[in-house]
Amino acid sequence: MSDQHPHEALPALLAQDEVVSYWDRRHESLDEFLSGGDVSFGYHANEAFYATRLGRLLDILQPTSVPLAPDRVLDAGCGKGWFTRALARCGYRVDGIDSSPHAIAEAAREAVGLDTYEVATLHEWAPPHLYDAVVAIDVLFHVTQDDVWLASVHNLAALTRLDGLLVIADHDHPGAHVWGQYQITRGSGLYREQLEPLGFEYRGFSPYRFRGNKGGFHTFERTS
């Protein structure tokens, strides 16, 4: 995979532990939307951006939960839990995990009932159950180290049940692209390279289509 990664010739990316520290400080210093949103947007634009992404995500998940048997969802890299709470309000049972202790503490204080929160990394989370859907919203492109990215993708795949969905937010260009010290986006080819041998079929890319943001959701279904 290294031949598809152009970042060796660019300014050095932060090590993953430095990225974790950066996000914990950011969650502590910024408000609900700005701490996990697009820093080029203001508060209200980010509020709309969150709502747009939630709508795209619900279109993909196509809610089928019923009160007696709610679908179980993992919000991997949940930050302060905005999407976790929104999915819980839609009837899902949701686990939110994040590497930021500050973000998880705030998310837990705002819990709405079907949502629970733990401090954990994407590559180390090991719950006693599988998920009907695993979602990683604008988080995997902040995993700067290739080995940690690989371990994260593989672990999220392992947590997705048969016929379940793995929904990963990223860009959709070939290979990988560095945008700064803590952001490297990866296209569908790199995800398919890892996930298809694990029994996942690619269901396509759903762009956000919000103010020029190039992100969107890659959807995979576990079929074997």
Side-chain angles (χ1 to χ4, degrees):
M1 189 171 65
S2 61
D3 61 340
Q4 300 183 68
H5 287 191
H7 56 269
E8 289 82 2
L10 296 172
L13 289 157
L14 296 176
Q16 198 58 44
D17 59 345
E18 295 174 310
V19 175
V20 170
S21 296
Y22 163 81
W23 280 103
D24 197 44
R25 293 192 303 271
R26 178 164 160 171
H27 284 304
E28 186 172 7
S29 62
L30 297 178
D31 62 41
E32 177 184 29
F33 292 120
L34 291 178
S35 66
D38 189 320
V39 293
S40 69
F41 299 158
Y43 178 90
H44 294 296
N46 265 300
E47 187 175 21
F49 186 35
Y50 270 72
T52 297
R53 287 179 290 172
L54 177 62
R56 300 280 186 270
L57 182 61
L58 290 174
D59 282 344
I60 293 167
L61 296 180
Q62 297 181 354
T64 59
S65 290
V66 296
L68 294 179
D71 285 351
R72 189 182 290 273
V73 176
L74 174 63
D75 185 2
C78 67
K80 294 180 178 178
W82 191 93
F83 289 106
T84 321
R85 292 189 296 276
L87 290 171
R89 291 187 183 102
C90 290
Y92 293 101
R93 178 184 296 178
V94 194
D95 294 338
I97 63 168
D98 200 277
S99 60
S100 167
H102 182 89
I104 288 297
E106 184 165 329
R109 286 194 297 270
E110 299 295 327
V112 296
L114 290 175
D115 49 332
T116 62
Y117 301 92
E118 295 285 345
V119 176
T121 61
L122 275 59
H123 65 288
E124 293 177 323
W125 178 240
H129 49 256
L130 299 179
Y131 294 95
D132 299 290
V134 173
V135 301
I137 305 170
D138 290 359
V139 61
L140 276 166
F141 51 65
H142 296 305
V143 178
T144 55
Q145 294 178 207
D146 288 342
D147 59 338
V148 179
W149 175 80
L150 281 169
S152 299
V153 171
H154 285 195
N155 191 45
L156 296 182
L159 297 175
T160 308
R161 70 161 176 80
L162 185 65
D163 297 326
L165 296 179
L166 175 55
V167 184
I168 296 171
D170 212 315
H171 288 196
D172 193 33
H173 47 64
H177 182 81
V178 172
W179 298 90
Q181 284 188 301
Y182 62 92
Q183 185 171 350
I184 173 172
T185 55
R186 300 168 176 94
S188 59
L190 294 176
Y191 287 102
R192 295 181 69 171
E193 179 182 301
Q194 299 303 318
L195 291 169
E196 288 177 346
L198 300 178
F200 286 80
E201 291 189 9
Y202 186 54
R203 298 308 188 201
F205 179 70
S206 302
Y208 295 151
R209 295 194 179 94
F210 186 88
R211 293 197 175 187
N213 186 289
K214 297 182 183 299
F217 291 115
H218 295 286
T219 301
F220 292 85
E221 182 178 359
R222 186 166 203 168
T223 57
S224 63

